[in-house]
Amino acid sequence: MIKLVATDLDDTLLSKDLTVTEKNLKAIEFLRQNSIILILASGRPYPSVKKVAFKLQNFYPMITYQGALVYDPKNDRKLYGCEIKPEDAKELVRLAKDEGIHVHIYIDNIWYVEVMNEKTEYYKNLTKLEPHRVENFLEFIDRPVTKVLFFDEHERLKALKERLPKDFSKKFNIMFSKPFFLEFTDINVSKGNALKFLTEYYDLKRDEVMAIGDGDNDISMIEYAGVGVAVGNATESLKSAANFVVVSCDESGFAEAIEKVFNVHF
């Protein structure tokens, strides 16, 4: 029996327009009424995920920054953390500067940028967070960094990813959260590892856990969960890893997944 459901946010629980469908809201209410734990698992920073959680009246711990940090939103307590060393973060910043790529960093749940431009504005609208501008990342970074994000055209980022130094794959977990977001976290960071932590935190077994997602950054938790589900708009890699595929996020794929597993109808 499933006792915990973990779901990605963007393009999974949330529609393309960043709203939650009426059917998905009914599915969330079903989980609440039946005391089934709902874990929001996102690449977004903690403050952004917390805003969504509070709108949904969901106060369970949440997986943030691709699994780098797990927080309890009731008291803002960090339950789990895995971050990039300062010198490694600086290496990423140097690379972005050399390539002329827009870069963001997160330290202690604060989003930092060096320049304000249309990319900053887009990310601000997506996350509902305010950027903090600093003059020079290389001088500023003096403590662990939660996440480094490269923001550019997909083909450009894809080409860069293919020619990254070999040692990067030993230091960083590198993935696309969106076609134009290439994200770097510590090598041990994944949504799957964070979900494993929460499964043990709640003293559950893997076969009591269900996970739903759309992107390659969701594969680790889809593979870890006893039941892994891909929404219809998911990448082919995720669909291959899932136990089954439901309709798209805009068609309430999250709710359909809950219907199938719990044999209910909304």
Side-chain angles (χ1 to χ4, degrees), residues 96-110:
K97 287 175 179 287
D98 290 344
E99 296 287 338
I101 288 174
H102 186 74
V103 60
H104 301 176
I105 67 170
Y106 281 92
I107 299 175
D108 296 333
N109 287 316
I110 297 175

Side-chain angles (χ1 to χ4, degrees), residues 12-244:
T12 301
L13 180 62
L14 303 183
S15 301
K16 296 286 186 183
D17 62 2
L18 303 179
T19 61
V20 183
T21 67
E22 194 62 37
K23 193 171 180 180
N24 281 352
L25 287 172
K26 289 179 180 178
I28 291 170
E29 183 58 28
F30 167 81
L31 297 177
R32 182 181 296 117
Q33 291 295 328
N34 287 275
S35 300
I36 294 158
I37 299 162
L38 176 61
I39 301 295
L40 304 184
S42 178
R44 290 192 192 191
Y46 170 61
S48 180
V49 182
K50 184 179 176 181
K51 286 182 180 182
V52 176
F54 275 49
K55 280 185 179 179
L56 298 174
Q57 294 292 292
N58 187 72
F59 305 113
Y60 288 109
M62 52 192 64
I63 295 169
T64 66
Y65 300 100
Q66 305 296 7
L69 298 177
V70 174
Y71 272 93
D72 184 339
K74 296 189 296 296
N75 53 20
D76 293 325
R77 185 164 64 96
K78 182 166 73 174
L79 303 178
Y80 168 94
C82 187
E83 297 173 284
I84 301 171
K85 296 174 184 175
E87 57 269 27
D88 291 338
K90 288 180 181 180
E91 188 174 9
L92 290 171
V93 169
R94 287 190 195 97
L95 174 63
K97 287 175 179 287
D98 290 344
E99 296 287 338
I101 288 174
H102 186 74
V103 60
H104 301 176
I105 67 170
Y106 281 92
I107 299 175
D108 296 333
N109 287 316
I110 297 175
W111 165 32
Y112 293 101
V113 298
E114 283 187 337
V115 294
M116 300 287 198
N117 56 22
E118 72 283 352
K119 288 184 172 67
T120 314
E121 196 63 28
Y122 174 89
Y123 198 78
K124 177 181 174 181
N125 290 333
L126 174 68
T127 61
K128 303 297 186 285
L129 299 176
E130 288 295 328
H132 290 68
R133 185 175 178 275
V134 297
E135 287 296 325
N136 189 326
F137 280 154
L138 296 176
E139 296 177 0
F140 176 73
I141 296 171
D142 62 355
R143 55 200 187 280
V145 173
T146 308
K147 180 173 76 171
V148 176
L149 182 147
F150 288 6
F151 188 168
D152 212 307
E153 294 175 2
H154 179 67
E155 290 305 315
R156 191 158 182 241
L157 292 175
K158 184 179 175 184
L160 174 63
K161 186 173 185 282
E162 290 171 354
R163 57 183 172 83
L164 289 172
K166 287 185 178 179
D167 68 323
F168 273 31
S169 63
K170 297 177 182 177
K171 294 192 288 189
F172 306 115
N173 202 338
I174 307 163
M175 65 186 70
F176 283 99
S177 57
K178 286 186 178 292
F180 38 85
F181 291 164
L182 183 61
E183 303 196 3
F184 299 81
T185 51
D186 181 82
I187 185 62
N188 296 307
V189 166
S190 73
K191 289 186 180 182
N193 283 343
L195 182 57
K196 179 178 184 290
F197 166 80
L198 285 172
T199 301
E200 294 169 354
Y201 179 82
Y202 283 109
D203 197 24
L204 299 176
K205 298 171 183 159
R206 286 174 69 174
D207 60 8
E208 295 175 311
V209 174
M210 172 182 178
I212 311 169
D214 77 293
D216 288 355
N217 58 326
D218 298 317
I219 291 175
S220 61
M221 72 171 182
I222 294 298
E223 291 180 335
Y224 175 79
V227 178
V229 186
V231 287
N233 51 285
T235 64
E236 290 306 314
S237 299
L238 186 79
K239 287 178 180 177
S240 296
N243 294 106
F244 62 88

